[in-house]
Amino acid sequence: MKLFQNFINLINKDVDNENETKTVPVMLRIISVSMILYFLLMLVYLIDISLMVPVIINVICIILLCASFLLTYKEKYSLAVLLSHIGIIIWIFLAILYLGWECGAQQFVTLLLVSIFMTSYVERRIKVEYSILLILIHVGLHLFMTTNVAFYAQSFWEMLYTHIISIVFCFGTIIAVVVTFSHNSISMEAKLKGYNANLKRLANVDPLTGLKNRRCMMNYLKENVESTNGKEVGNAVIAIGDIDFFKRFNDRYGHACGDEVLVELAALFMDFMEDKGEVARWGGEEFLLVFNDCDMNRGIEYMDKLLHRIRLMNIRYGGEELRVTMTFGISEYDNDKTIDAIINQADKKLYYGKQNGRNRLVHTIPTDFVIDKK
């Protein structure tokens, strides 16, 4: 059992790569090992019947396949493919001419076809041309042997032996290669799905707080809140908030403290909004909340409760307890306006609150109010 595991490890050596499956080297190693075993069995038979020319050619084929196997560990895959195919093609010609069509060596044309099409870096044109060549070799040998006889006349049992081991090793190798290829393809597909999911998460989630980022929230609003083709999706209330005097946390305690404040607030928002809607880190110390299926009165009620919970927060940092307050602007979605217009409206109310006392929720402002961002 340990010996078998060591063999499997040898076949898979240096292919456990996070970013690729390296099907080609594994396939080449499987083909090389399988064909070497096949040639050794045939070598015993050829020595027994004293066919010295095939014996010599058989040994050469074994050497070529050994070289192909070793080259895969040096990542010289093109040369490894070339040597293995040359060895097998030489054997096909030799076996058919010396032992006859019934020895079954022509079956290895199928193995060559399968292997070349699973070699990803070979151009399609070359694959097609090579396939045509293999088919011509198969047909040409068949036609030649219909009018000629083999150099050695095999007995019934000898034909049975050579034919069976040719079929077993040919199709056994193909099955092993296809199974490995399928497993690696499934593995790579799973990896790609994982990478795509991770990329999607990175593109949509703020890495510090774990909340939706601005891009993700805008997509959500466009798809789930804003009316589409004149069809109303539903009522929604949007609130945008800013941490009061956030710069003081960074200036006094350092940016790590500011990050801790953001993380604590994000956790509070996620808990509070769990059954009410969505929340995103809008940028810097700003957060945007969306209350689904909600009107202005209920939205104000929700925000009053949220502001109360924020005022009760105790954030421990460096042995001190920090108090946090926030200012929010809130607007109700109107089908006559775009999402951008509603957000700008809530943002304008936020600035009104920051310029008029902070630590509050603003739902109405004077019509002549002008934002002063100085």
Side-chain angles (χ1 to χ4, degrees):
M1 186 67 180
K2 186 177 180 180
L3 183 63
F4 177 76
Q5 187 59 49
N6 290 337
F7 172 73
I8 296 298
N9 293 337
L10 180 65
I11 295 295
N12 290 288
K13 185 179 180 181
D14 297 328
V15 299
D16 294 329
N17 187 293
E18 186 178 273
N19 297 315
E20 60 176 325
T21 58
K22 292 189 177 179
T23 303
V24 172
V26 175
M27 176 188 68
L28 288 172
R29 292 167 193 172
I30 291 172
I31 291 174
S32 296
V33 170
S34 178
M35 291 304 298
I36 289 170
L37 291 175
Y38 167 77
F39 284 134
L40 288 173
L41 289 175
M42 289 300 299
L43 182 62
V44 173
Y45 168 67
L46 293 171
I47 292 174
D48 183 62
I49 60 176
S50 301
L51 288 178
M52 296 315 296
V53 172
V55 166
I56 294 171
I57 300 300
N58 184 289
V59 172
I60 292 173
C61 292
I62 291 175
I63 293 172
L64 289 174
L65 285 161
C66 287
S68 175
F69 181 85
L70 294 174
L71 285 170
T72 62
Y73 295 101
K74 297 183 179 297
E75 298 188 3
K76 296 182 178 180
Y77 304 139
S78 297
L79 183 56
V81 170
L82 180 63
L83 292 181
S84 63
H85 280 238
I86 288 175
I88 295 172
I89 290 174
I90 289 174
W91 172 253
I92 292 172
F93 274 100
L94 179 84
I96 297 299
L97 294 176
Y98 270 85
L99 303 177
W101 190 258
E102 292 78 10
C103 75
Q106 70 277 5
Q107 307 289 349
F108 291 106
V109 169
T110 306
L111 174 60
L112 295 176
L113 285 170
V114 170
S115 65
I116 196 64
F117 276 99
M118 288 188 176
T119 305
S120 56
Y121 56 83
V122 176
E123 295 180 14
R124 182 183 300 177
R125 178 182 59 81
I126 295 176
K127 290 180 180 180
V128 172
E129 291 174 354
Y130 182 63
S131 299
I132 294 172
L133 174 63
L134 289 175
I135 293 171
L136 290 176
I137 290 173
H138 190 281
V139 173
L141 283 172
H142 180 69
L143 293 175
F144 179 80
M145 294 309 295
T146 57
T147 56
N148 295 272
V149 296
F151 292 129
Y152 176 78
Q154 288 185 300
S155 68
F156 171 79
W157 293 109
E158 288 174 332
M159 283 190 295
L160 186 63
Y161 171 78
T162 56
H163 194 78
I164 287 177
I165 65 169
S166 294
I167 291 176
V168 168
F169 276 90
C170 175
F171 291 98
T173 306
I174 290 173
I175 291 170
V177 167
V178 170
V179 168
T180 303
F181 185 87
S182 300
H183 173 75
N184 288 341
S185 296
I186 293 170
S187 176
M188 179 57 76
E189 184 178 355
K191 287 179 182 179
L192 288 174
K193 286 181 179 179
Y195 295 150
N196 289 335
N198 189 45
L199 288 173
K200 185 177 181 180
R201 184 187 65 80
L202 291 174
N204 294 324
V205 176
D206 174 59
L208 176 63
T209 63
L211 299 177
K212 284 182 171 64
N213 59 21
R214 186 175 189 138
R215 173 181 173 276
C216 181
M217 179 58 87
M218 282 304 298
N219 289 337
Y220 172 83
L221 291 169
K222 296 287 186 181
E223 294 174 4
N224 297 282
V225 176
E226 192 170 44
S227 59
T228 306
N229 297 325
K231 179 182 177 181
E232 295 185 12
V233 177
N235 295 329
V237 170
I238 295 174
I240 186 168
D242 183 278
I243 302 172
D244 296 330
F245 305 110
F246 181 72
K247 189 174 182 294
R248 294 181 182 177
F249 293 112
N250 289 329
D251 291 344
R252 183 174 178 180
Y253 301 100
H255 288 282
C257 177
D259 289 347
E260 183 64 23
V261 170
L262 292 170
V263 169
E264 292 286 341
L265 282 169
L268 172 63
F269 293 148
M270 281 191 282
D271 178 65
F272 184 80
M273 296 296 292
E274 184 176 2
D275 57 351
K276 300 178 182 67
E278 300 291 337
V279 58
R281 184 181 179 190
W282 200 239
E285 64 269 25
E286 285 190 337
F287 296 87
L288 187 137
L289 297 86
V290 181
F291 296 96
N292 296 322
D293 299 319
C294 180
D295 58 21
M296 191 64 157
N297 290 332
R298 184 178 293 180
I300 293 172
E301 180 183 337
Y302 284 147
M303 288 305 303
D304 285 338
K305 291 179 180 179
L306 179 59
L307 275 172
H308 179 68
R309 288 183 60 175
I310 293 172
R311 292 167 186 146
L312 293 177
M313 286 183 69
N314 286 323
I315 300 176
R316 296 190 63 84
Y317 187 84
E320 295 187 40
E321 289 190 356
L322 308 179
R323 293 283 186 172
V324 180
T325 62
M326 290 187 68
T327 302
F328 285 90
I330 186 171
S331 292
E332 184 176 8
Y333 175 68
D334 184 346
N335 284 288
D336 294 331
K337 295 181 180 178
T338 64
I339 284 294
D340 290 326
I342 299 299
I343 292 174
N344 289 335
Q345 189 179 74
D347 194 48
K348 189 174 182 180
K349 294 175 182 178
L350 164 63
Y351 274 95
Y352 180 85
K354 292 179 70 68
Q355 293 177 23
N356 291 273
R358 290 184 170 84
N359 189 21
R360 58 188 297 191
L361 172 69
V362 178
H363 53 83
T364 57
I365 58 175
T367 56
D368 60 347
F369 171 69
V370 177
I371 295 177
D372 181 11
K373 295 188 178 182
K374 293 183 180 179

